[in-house]
Amino acid sequence: MTVSFFDGHNDMLLRLWQNDDWGATAFLESDGSGHIDRERMAAAHMTGGFFAIFIPADKTDMLAAEPIDQKRALIQCLEMIGIFDTLSSTDFAPCHTGRDTGGRTGKISAVLHIEGAEMISDSLDELDLLFWRGVRSIGPLWSRSNVFGHGAPFSFPGSPDQGDGLTDAGKALIAACDERRILVDLSHLNEAGFWDVAACSERPLMATHSNAHALCPAPRNLTDRQIDAIAERGGIVGACFASAYLRSDGRKQADTQLELILRQLDHLVSRLGEDGVGLGSDFDGAVIPTAIGDCSGLPALAKTLLENGFGDALTQKICAGNWEHFLRENLPR
């Protein structure tokens, strides 16, 4: 059985931007850097994914929690969109509507996603520009505060219930995204913000790259109550490969058993059902278990799923089908 893959989250655009590779040669010429390139995606039968724009504090201290200047963030966001546009002229087929998913063009079905909306001001004036440039998914928060609310901290172990919820501007952003059928990503939100989104939005809930807090007590992971709320709304969770959100000790170690991803998938399926679980690797943004390594290791995960009783149909749903169905139903018509 050949399994195809649609991934809920990667940071490849940030990697290319950091290396000043705005022509995206590292992707196109498959130089082996990072976790994703053209050759490895093809070898893995990877048909698409969410390609994230993340604005680092600076190039040397990417994960600093200080607020980001909005104008600088917008400039850097547009630079990363320029990289995305370069790839769209060769390998990417941007997903602007629900009809654009599933790899039917022979290209990579690519959802342009924002991780942390620092490039948008509290007036929301930039939202239509970003929509016009192809953005179809927005995570209002990364793990730092901005004008829209507060992200889940990186402390370990810890509860996601830390800090206040969305600001008035954050609630307005959710309403504006709903009007345009821009997907809202709950990954990185703290718990109060999660429940504010659930109250503000009437659309299915989505967490592109999150795991179950019951199995790994990182604040970034979802409690069972949160997972159940996503299930009740017909939503989806992409299981994250980041070792820090898999391991019971929260360590960033590549020497992490593949079985921990299976445990997460099994738990998520038990609460979300077979149609509510996908993959959200965090390639190019996290320490990934060596058994996967990079996107070319995705077939090893599918093989392990099949060997552990997930079955052909469920394995294909988790690896690609559920994301493709969710996007068909929830992207702009």
Side-chain angles (χ1 to χ4, degrees), residues 139-142 185-189 206-210 220 222 238:
L141 278 299
W142 181 70
D185 183 18
L186 298 163
S187 295
H188 283 286
L189 274 168
M206 175 188 81
T208 60
H209 59 306
S210 295
R220 264 271 286 109
L222 300 166

Side-chain angles (χ1 to χ4, degrees), residues 82-326:
I83 297 171
F84 184 87
D85 289 345
T86 295
L87 295 174
S88 297
S89 68
T90 54
D91 285 64
F92 284 6
C95 289
H96 292 154
T97 75
R99 298 185 299 275
D100 298 330
T101 61
R104 286 184 289 270
T105 63
K107 292 188 174 184
I108 298 158
S109 297
V111 179
L112 188 56
H113 168 76
I114 284 174
E115 183 178 30
E118 281 89 357
M119 68 291 297
I120 301 173
S121 63
D122 56 5
S123 68
L124 308 185
D125 287 343
E126 299 78 14
L127 187 60
D128 282 329
L129 166 64
L130 295 172
F131 183 85
W132 176 69
R133 291 299 303 269
V135 171
R136 292 296 182 269
S137 176
I138 294 177
L141 278 299
W142 181 70
S143 289
R144 63 186 167 219
S145 299
N146 63 30
V147 297
F148 303 116
H150 307 278
F154 285 123
S155 56
F156 187 93
S159 165
D161 187 13
Q162 300 184 52
D164 297 330
L166 296 181
T167 63
D168 288 344
K171 294 172 183 177
L173 175 62
I174 303 308
C177 286
D178 277 11
E179 288 176 9
R180 294 158 178 78
R181 295 180 69 85
I182 297 172
L183 302 171
V184 174
D185 183 18
L186 298 163
S187 295
H188 283 286
L189 274 168
N190 65 5
E191 189 169 1
F194 176 101
W195 294 115
D196 282 343
V197 172
C200 291
S201 175
E202 297 181 355
R203 304 192 71 207
L205 301 175
M206 175 188 81
T208 60
H209 59 306
S210 295
N211 289 334
H213 190 270
L215 300 180
C216 173
R220 264 271 286 109
N221 285 341
L222 300 166
T223 66
D224 283 349
R225 182 168 170 249
Q226 290 174 297
I227 295 168
D228 292 346
I230 295 172
E232 289 168 7
R233 294 277 284 271
I236 188 169
V237 175
C240 186
F241 300 171
S243 63
Y245 308 133
L246 293 169
R247 299 171 60 97
S248 60
D249 60 11
R251 293 181 180 176
K252 298 179 180 180
Q253 290 188 347
D255 184 18
T256 294
Q257 295 178 334
L258 199 58
E259 286 72 18
L260 294 182
I261 298 178
L262 267 64
R263 287 184 66 223
Q264 287 287 344
L265 290 169
D266 189 58
H267 186 88
L268 292 171
V269 169
S270 74
R271 305 198 79 93
L272 289 152
E274 294 191 356
D275 298 330
V277 182
L279 303 178
S281 70
D282 213 353
F283 285 140
D284 281 329
V287 176
I288 304 295
T290 302
I292 294 177
D294 57 43
C295 73
S296 66
L298 287 170
L301 175 61
K303 181 174 183 288
T304 304
L305 288 172
L306 292 167
E307 289 173 348
N308 282 271
F310 279 72
D312 291 1
L314 178 55
T315 296
Q316 186 57 74
K317 281 185 175 185
I318 290 171
C319 292
N322 287 340
W323 271 127
E324 291 169 354
H325 176 77
F326 185 84

